[in-house]
Amino acid sequence: MKSTITMLVFFLMSQIGFAQLSSRKLLRGQVVNDSVKVENVVVFNVNARTGTIAKFEGAFAITAKENDTLVFSSLMFRSKKMVLTKEDMEQDVVKITLQSLTNQLAQVNVDQSKIKSPIKNSQEAVDTKYYGDAQSSPKNTVMPNYNVIENGVDFVRMYKDVLKVLRKKNPKKNDFTTNVSFTEAVMNRVSYSFFSNSLKLRNDQIKLFLVFSENDPKSGVVLKKATDFELMDFLVGKNNEFKKITAIQK
C-alpha cells in the first residue's frame, strides 16, 4: 500500500513537471545595443533552469512562457533581468536592448599656455587645479551610471585584471572571447541558481567568469569526460581563482 502511494505521488509529480515543460514554447529573440546587434551574450531562463548563447547578429532561442525571468550577461554591456509578458511571447522575435557598460570618456588634456586669462596677473588662478565637490559636481541619482557594477565594483578594472591573467597564462593567444564551446556546454548542464547562489556571482560577472574558465586548458578535458558534478567542482575551483583576481584592491 505504501509503495503504491509512493508511485502515485511520483506519477503526479511527473505529470506536473511534464505539464510545466509542455506549457513553454520556443521564444526567439535578438540582443541589441541601439542599432548594433550584440553577440556572445549569456541568456538564462531562471525559472526553466535552461540557458543559451546569443550568437550571429545577437539571435537566440530559448524555451519560455509568460512570467518567466530571463537574465542576460555580457562582457561589454550591463546585465539585464526581464520578466516575460504575454506580448513578448506573442512576438515573432522579441528585441532585448542592453545598455553599454564601458562608455568611458577619453581624457582631455588642456594646454595651459593657450588659456587667456580675463584678468591680468591671474595666472595663479589659471594654473590652479579644481576638483568637483558635492556643490559643483552633484551626483545625478536619477540617471543610471553604466560605467560601474552595483555596490561600487569597477567592471572595467575587473575585466582588465582578468584579461591580464589570461594573457600571462597564454602569451601567444590574442582572442579570449569568441570560442564559446565550453560556455555553451555549461549553459546546457548548469542552472542559473548555481552561478547566483552557489558561486555568488552577480549577473554582470557571469559572462566574464565563463570566459575565464573557458581559457583554462583543463576546460576541454572537463567538457569531454566530466560528469555534471565534476564540472561544477571545476567551476567552484575556477571561481576561487576568479574571486582573488577580481577582489577590490584597497
Side-chain angles (χ1 to χ4, degrees), residues 3-28:
S3 60
T4 303
I5 295 175
T6 303
M7 289 296 294
L8 181 60
V9 171
F10 177 76
F11 175 76
L12 290 173
M13 292 298 293
S14 300
Q15 291 299 310
I16 293 172
F18 178 76
Q20 290 178 339
L21 182 63
S22 62
S23 67
R24 287 188 168 90
K25 68 176 186 179
L26 194 64
L27 175 70
R28 300 186 184 280

Side-chain angles (χ1 to χ4, degrees), residues 31 41-43 60 70-74 79-80 82 96 98:
V31 185
V41 177
V42 169
V43 185
F60 70 92
L70 300 186
V71 172
F72 300 84
S73 180
S74 173
S79 65
K80 183 172 185 176
M82 174 184 181
I96 313 298
L98 299 186

Side-chain angles (χ1 to χ4, degrees), residues 160-184:
K160 289 180 179 179
D161 288 348
V162 171
L163 199 62
K164 186 186 300 182
V165 171
L166 292 179
R167 284 174 175 164
K168 186 176 181 180
K169 292 183 178 180
N170 303 275
K172 296 182 180 180
K173 190 172 183 179
N174 295 319
D175 187 0
F176 296 96
T177 62
T178 57
N179 181 20
V180 295
S181 58
F182 177 79
T183 297
E184 286 186 280

Side-chain angles (χ1 to χ4, degrees), residues 40 75 159 162-163 166 173 175-180 182-183 205-216 242:
N40 292 332
L75 285 180
Y159 179 81
V162 171
L163 199 62
L166 292 179
K173 190 172 183 179
D175 187 0
F176 296 96
T177 62
T178 57
N179 181 20
V180 295
F182 177 79
T183 297
Q205 295 177 305
I206 294 176
K207 175 60 178 178
L208 181 60
F209 169 71
L210 287 170
V211 168
F212 177 68
S213 302
E214 172 100 39
N215 284 279
D216 187 320
F242 183 80

Side-chain angles (χ1 to χ4, degrees), residues 1 3 7 19 39 73 75 84 93 106 125 145 161 166 188 200:
M1 180 68 179
S3 60
M7 289 296 294
E39 300 178 354
S73 180
L75 285 180
L84 295 172
V93 178
N145 182 0
D161 288 348
L166 292 179
N188 292 326
K200 306 297 183 185

